[in-house]
Amino acid sequence: MLNLIVIVFIVIAILSTVGGLYLIKRDWHRSNANVSAGIILLSMAVLSLLAVLITYSNF
């Protein structure tokens, strides 16, 4: 069960990274809300990977 949760977090991180970079690249010159949404998606990707690291760390 734990491995399934980790796989879900990794998939979320990959999709967030791709979507965030796409939004930032597409609308960087306009500097509108899509750039902010892309930055939020990238931070969600980082948090998902952090959750995976915390899951596998030995605290």
Side-chain angles (χ1 to χ4, degrees), residues 10-47:
I10 291 173
V11 169
I12 289 172
I14 291 170
L15 292 176
S16 297
T17 302
V18 171
L21 289 175
Y22 172 73
L23 286 176
I24 290 172
K25 183 178 182 290
R26 186 183 71 177
D27 292 331
W28 183 254
H29 61 281
R30 285 187 247 168
S31 184
N32 60 8
N34 285 338
V35 175
S36 298
I39 293 170
I40 290 170
L41 281 173
L42 287 177
S43 64
M44 192 167 105
V46 170
L47 290 175

Side-chain angles (χ1 to χ4, degrees), residues 1-17 41-56:
M1 185 66 186
L2 187 62
N3 288 335
L4 180 65
I5 294 171
V6 169
I7 290 171
V8 167
F9 275 123
I10 291 173
V11 169
I12 289 172
I14 291 170
L15 292 176
S16 297
T17 302
L41 281 173
L42 287 177
S43 64
M44 192 167 105
V46 170
L47 290 175
S48 295
L49 291 177
L50 186 65
V52 171
L53 288 175
I54 290 172
T55 302
Y56 280 121

